[in-house]
Amino acid sequence: MAYAVQVEEDRVNKKIIEIARERDVMKLRVENIKNTLQCGDIRARDALFAQEADAQSGRVTRDRNGNWVRAQQYILRPDDKTVQVLNVCLRGQDAGNLAGLSTLDFTTTFKGNEGLKGWDLRDLPWGQWLETKIIKNRKLVYTGETPKRDYNYPDLDQMYVKFTNPSGEYLKESRWFGGEAHCHYHQFVMGEELELSSLKNGKHTYGYHYAEALTEPELYPATKVTLPEGDYGVENIEGAGFNYTFASDKSINVAFFKVDDYGDGPVESVDFADMWDAMRVNESWGSPQIGTNNLEIAIDREANYFDKPIDVVYIPMSRMLWKNKESNNFD
């Protein structure tokens, strides 16, 4: 039985490696993991993952439907300018159309030659970087003021979050940022993109639609707006997450649920402004809080757009097992 459990965990770890290897340029840290993956020693792979990751978490939990889920998550720095949160969920055959491996890949890249050298990931203002604000009809994120004021936080280059279901279908949302942070500690969002790959509907890419008279309370309007062909929007629905909307009548719902580790507590729906807002759950800087719980992210629950729903149990970064700060820093 113990070996069977270990093999199941290893299957999840192998999937995390596949996600990591999707990047075009892989540095030595991830190459080490790849080489160990080929050695056939399950325990050696586990040990090297723990060595290479800044943080890790693995737990067997239940989703909102009562299905057992093995969730494994690592936070890696494949190079000095990149942070990857790699999350894989494995459900058994009794989970119906959710059975198999579902994944989340949340990747952030940074500008400049130094990148993240010398930084501990827990000291970075994730709660601000992931909260969208509006100034003069333009989206931006605050980059925060460092405690000592004699140096700045790293400048953001690009972020994306990609969700994949057991059929290999995916939803990927990306955004990229302007140059260095302004004197008021913010960076403008220069563009956003939504990429969809569906067995039923093919592969499509959309750009975010910016309303002409955008104000912060109307960041994501409650009423559906008419979108030009090729654009997408976000429509908030109280108590039911939000919809990605398009020029046609189709939409894709994203719902969020707070679930505990054991399936004993009540399943509660949680609202977020957008996908970036969900990624900052349990962080500081006024981020949404769900306590010592996990966040289930359910995309297209009725499988109207995709062949199967995309459903991932995300372990907030606050619940990860972090290394000591001294061992995290790059010299």
Side-chain angles (χ1 to χ4, degrees), residues 75 82-85 106-110 116 120-131 141-143 153 156 158-159 276-277 279-281 283-285 287 317 322:
I75 298 180
T82 306
V83 177
Q84 284 184 293
V85 179
F106 170 41
T107 295
T108 304
T109 58
F110 296 85
L116 292 170
D120 183 279
L121 299 185
R122 289 167 293 181
D123 294 334
L124 298 175
W126 294 102
Q128 288 192 310
W129 283 343
L130 291 163
E131 182 181 18
V141 298
Y142 284 107
T143 55
Y153 286 117
L156 298 167
Q158 186 175 3
M159 287 181 174
W276 312 110
D277 195 32
M279 291 295 98
R280 72 190 192 106
V281 65
E283 291 299 301
S284 55
W285 310 91
S287 300
M317 285 194 282
W322 290 85

Side-chain angles (χ1 to χ4, degrees), residues 203-221:
K203 188 173 181 179
H204 300 278
T205 301
Y206 301 88
Y208 184 77
H209 177 72
Y210 291 88
E212 292 182 1
L214 198 63
T215 59
E216 191 161 342
E218 299 172 331
L219 178 59
Y220 301 112

Side-chain angles (χ1 to χ4, degrees), residues 222-243:
T223 57
K224 189 172 181 178
V225 298
T226 301
L227 297 173
E229 191 68 36
D231 281 10
Y232 79 98
V234 174
E235 175 191 12
N236 290 119
I237 305 173
E238 186 175 354
F242 63 82
N243 285 344

Side-chain angles (χ1 to χ4, degrees), residues 97-305:
N97 61 2
L98 298 181
L101 290 164
S102 300
T103 69
L104 180 157
D105 174 4
F106 170 41
T107 295
T108 304
T109 58
F110 296 85
K111 299 179 185 291
N113 295 325
E114 295 299 313
L116 292 170
K117 282 187 176 180
W119 284 100
D120 183 279
L121 299 185
R122 289 167 293 181
D123 294 334
L124 298 175
W126 294 102
Q128 288 192 310
W129 283 343
L130 291 163
E131 182 181 18
T132 307
K133 294 287 189 179
I134 295 292
I135 288 183
K136 296 181 179 179
N137 299 336
R138 296 184 65 185
K139 283 188 180 183
L140 58 85
V141 298
Y142 284 107
T143 55
E145 184 177 353
T146 56
K148 295 182 180 179
R149 297 192 180 187
D150 56 352
Y151 58 93
N152 295 324
Y153 286 117
D155 290 318
L156 298 167
D157 183 29
Q158 186 175 3
M159 287 181 174
Y160 74 76
V161 58
K162 180 179 180 181
F163 299 87
T164 304
N165 68 14
S167 296
E169 300 173 299
Y170 66 83
L171 179 150
K172 178 182 179 182
E173 188 167 17
S174 307
R175 61 176 18 177
W176 51 97
F177 302 88
E180 294 182 356
H182 291 247
C183 60
H184 296 295
Y185 302 102
H186 64 262
Q187 281 184 268
F188 286 109
V189 178
M190 303 304 292
E192 294 176 283
E193 188 174 86
L194 183 69
E195 185 178 328
L196 306 173
S197 180
S198 164
L199 295 176
K200 294 193 292 189
N201 293 287
K203 188 173 181 179
H204 300 278
T205 301
Y206 301 88
Y208 184 77
H209 177 72
Y210 291 88
E212 292 182 1
L214 198 63
T215 59
E216 191 161 342
E218 299 172 331
L219 178 59
Y220 301 112
T223 57
K224 189 172 181 178
V225 298
T226 301
L227 297 173
E229 191 68 36
D231 281 10
Y232 79 98
V234 174
E235 175 191 12
N236 290 119
I237 305 173
E238 186 175 354
F242 63 82
N243 285 344
Y244 287 113
T245 59
F246 308 90
S248 64
D249 290 334
K250 73 174 182 286
S251 64
I252 298 175
N253 179 250
V254 183
F256 304 91
F257 302 91
K258 181 175 70 174
V259 293
D260 65 18
D261 289 337
Y262 309 105
D264 298 330
V267 175
E268 300 178 18
S269 62
V270 187
D271 284 334
F272 294 95
D274 54 23
M275 201 65 85
W276 312 110
D277 195 32
M279 291 295 98
R280 72 190 192 106
V281 65
N282 277 12
E283 291 299 301
S284 55
W285 310 91
S287 300
Q289 301 293 311
I290 60 171
T292 55
N293 294 286
N294 304 309
L295 182 66
E296 185 172 355
I297 303 172
I299 302 172
D300 193 26
R301 286 173 289 170
E302 304 299 324
N304 294 318
Y305 186 84

